[in-house]
């Protein structure tokens, strides 16, 4: 690299640095933390999943996990979740009948 090329390269680096903000470690942490806070925002239109849909999905997931030879404790977890969703479904139906 010739001296002229080196000087041009150095000038380009200086221009690049001048355009970019140089942050301290504390400023980087504050920036990242502020961005993480934005990720916790509640969706504008959250999708409401019914107990019936949850039961059906967990049944399918349980069947799929068995076909994929998942470990027994993983399959049992899906079954417990399905049973809990079914209990919620039955409880909701019973409450509606009372009213």
């Amino acid at each position: 690299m010739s001296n002229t090329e080196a000087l041009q390269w150095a000038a380009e680096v200086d221009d690049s640095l001048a355009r970019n903000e140089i942050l301290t470690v504390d400023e980087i942490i504050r920036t990242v933390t502020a961005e993480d806070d934005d990720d916790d925002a509640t969706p504008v239109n959250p999708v409401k999943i019914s107990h019936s849909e949850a039961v059906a999905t967990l049944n399918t997931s349980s069947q799929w996990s068995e076909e994929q030879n998942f470990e027994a404790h993983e399959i049992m977890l899906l079954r417990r979740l399905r049973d809990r969703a079914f209990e919620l479904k039955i409880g909701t139906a019973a409450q509606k009948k009372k009213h």
Side-chain angles (χ1 to χ4, degrees):
M1 179 181 289
S2 70
N3 286 343
T4 304
E5 291 172 331
L7 289 173
Q8 284 179 329
W9 179 80
E12 289 173 13
V13 169
D14 286 343
D15 287 344
S16 177
L17 288 174
R19 284 191 300 263
N20 295 318
E21 184 179 356
I22 298 174
L23 302 174
T24 66
V25 172
D26 289 337
E27 290 170 329
I28 293 169
I29 291 171
R30 277 195 298 274
T31 302
V32 170
T33 304
E35 289 173 2
D36 286 348
D37 290 344
D38 293 342
D39 294 342
D40 296 337
T42 305
V44 176
N45 295 318
V47 175
K48 183 75 173 167
I49 300 171
S50 71
H51 300 312
S52 296
E53 289 174 303
V55 170
T57 300
L58 289 162
N59 274 331
T60 302
S61 299
S62 178
Q63 183 180 2
W64 174 80
S65 66
E66 289 173 12
E67 291 171 0
Q68 301 302 314
N69 297 317
F70 276 37
E71 293 184 23
H73 72 274
E74 295 169 320
I75 295 168
M76 292 304 298
L77 174 61
L78 288 170
R79 289 180 183 169
R80 280 195 300 265
L81 289 170
R82 179 207 51 209
D83 292 348
R84 181 68 177 117
F86 185 74
E87 290 169 3
L88 291 169
K89 176 184 171 184
I90 297 301
T92 302
Q95 283 181 344
K96 286 182 181 179
K97 283 187 179 182
K98 288 182 183 179
H99 295 264

